[in-house]
Short mmCIF file of all heavy atoms in Angstrom, two decimals:
data_model
loop_
_atom_site.label_atom_id
_atom_site.label_comp_id
_atom_site.label_asym_id
_atom_site.label_seq_id
_atom_site.Cartn_x
_atom_site.Cartn_y
_atom_site.Cartn_z
N LYS A 318 8.49 -10.91 -5.51
CA LYS A 318 7.49 -9.86 -5.56
C LYS A 318 6.48 -9.92 -4.41
O LYS A 318 6.23 -8.97 -3.71
CB LYS A 318 6.74 -9.88 -6.79
CG LYS A 318 5.66 -8.75 -7.01
CD LYS A 318 4.98 -8.81 -8.29
CE LYS A 318 3.89 -7.74 -8.39
NZ LYS A 318 3.21 -7.84 -9.68
N GLU A 319 5.99 -11.10 -4.17
CA GLU A 319 4.96 -11.24 -3.02
C GLU A 319 5.68 -11.12 -1.65
O GLU A 319 5.08 -10.54 -0.82
CB GLU A 319 4.42 -12.64 -3.14
CG GLU A 319 3.56 -12.91 -4.40
CD GLU A 319 2.44 -11.82 -4.60
OE1 GLU A 319 1.98 -11.29 -3.55
OE2 GLU A 319 2.16 -11.47 -5.70
N GLU A 320 6.89 -11.63 -1.47
CA GLU A 320 7.58 -11.39 -0.25
C GLU A 320 7.82 -9.96 0.04
O GLU A 320 7.55 -9.44 1.16
CB GLU A 320 8.89 -12.27 -0.23
CG GLU A 320 8.71 -13.72 -0.07
CD GLU A 320 8.23 -14.05 1.33
OE1 GLU A 320 8.78 -13.45 2.29
OE2 GLU A 320 7.30 -14.84 1.48
N ALA A 321 8.29 -9.29 -0.99
CA ALA A 321 8.61 -7.80 -0.77
C ALA A 321 7.37 -7.00 -0.51
O ALA A 321 7.27 -6.14 0.35
CB ALA A 321 9.35 -7.31 -2.00
N GLN A 322 6.25 -7.39 -1.25
CA GLN A 322 5.02 -6.70 -1.02
C GLN A 322 4.41 -6.86 0.38
O GLN A 322 3.97 -5.94 1.00
CB GLN A 322 3.93 -7.15 -2.07
CG GLN A 322 2.66 -6.35 -2.10
CD GLN A 322 2.87 -4.91 -2.40
OE1 GLN A 322 3.61 -4.62 -3.29
NE2 GLN A 322 2.24 -4.03 -1.66
N ALA A 323 4.53 -8.19 0.85
CA ALA A 323 4.02 -8.41 2.21
C ALA A 323 4.79 -7.68 3.29
O ALA A 323 4.26 -7.10 4.16
CB ALA A 323 4.09 -9.95 2.50
N GLU A 324 6.12 -7.63 3.07
CA GLU A 324 6.98 -6.94 4.09
C GLU A 324 6.68 -5.45 4.15
O GLU A 324 6.55 -4.78 5.07
CB GLU A 324 8.42 -7.17 3.80
CG GLU A 324 8.82 -8.57 4.09
CD GLU A 324 10.34 -8.86 3.78
OE1 GLU A 324 10.98 -7.83 3.37
OE2 GLU A 324 10.79 -9.96 3.96
N ALA A 325 6.47 -4.85 2.91
CA ALA A 325 6.17 -3.39 2.72
C ALA A 325 4.90 -3.09 3.32
O ALA A 325 4.68 -2.11 3.98
CB ALA A 325 6.17 -3.09 1.26
N ASP A 326 3.86 -3.98 3.17
CA ASP A 326 2.53 -3.69 3.71
C ASP A 326 2.56 -3.71 5.22
O ASP A 326 1.90 -2.88 5.93
CB ASP A 326 1.46 -4.76 3.20
CG ASP A 326 1.25 -4.46 1.77
OD1 ASP A 326 1.44 -3.37 1.26
OD2 ASP A 326 0.75 -5.41 1.09
N VAL A 327 3.28 -4.68 5.85
CA VAL A 327 3.37 -4.79 7.26
C VAL A 327 4.16 -3.59 7.81
O VAL A 327 3.74 -2.98 8.87
CB VAL A 327 4.06 -6.07 7.67
CG1 VAL A 327 4.33 -6.12 9.16
CG2 VAL A 327 3.20 -7.29 7.31
N ALA A 328 5.20 -3.11 7.19
CA ALA A 328 6.03 -1.97 7.64
C ALA A 328 5.18 -0.72 7.61
O ALA A 328 5.27 0.17 8.41
CB ALA A 328 7.27 -1.86 6.83
N ALA A 329 4.27 -0.65 6.58
CA ALA A 329 3.44 0.59 6.43
C ALA A 329 2.27 0.67 7.33
O ALA A 329 1.54 1.64 7.38
CB ALA A 329 3.13 0.75 4.96
N PHE A 330 1.95 -0.52 8.01
CA PHE A 330 0.75 -0.57 8.83
C PHE A 330 0.82 0.36 10.00
O PHE A 330 1.81 0.36 10.69
CB PHE A 330 0.50 -2.06 9.23
CG PHE A 330 -0.80 -2.29 9.92
CD1 PHE A 330 -1.96 -2.53 9.15
CD2 PHE A 330 -0.97 -2.18 11.30
CE1 PHE A 330 -3.14 -2.71 9.77
CE2 PHE A 330 -2.17 -2.46 11.89
CZ PHE A 330 -3.31 -2.69 11.06
N LYS A 331 -0.19 1.16 10.25
CA LYS A 331 -0.14 2.19 11.28
C LYS A 331 -1.12 1.79 12.44
O LYS A 331 -2.20 1.25 12.16
CB LYS A 331 -0.63 3.58 10.72
CG LYS A 331 0.21 4.13 9.61
CD LYS A 331 1.61 4.43 10.06
CE LYS A 331 2.49 4.98 8.99
NZ LYS A 331 3.91 5.19 9.33
#
Side-chain angles (χ1 to χ4, degrees):
K318 180 180 179 182
E319 295 304 329
E320 282 293 315
Q322 186 63 41
E324 291 179 2
D326 290 340
V327 171
F330 189 82
K331 300 296 182 183

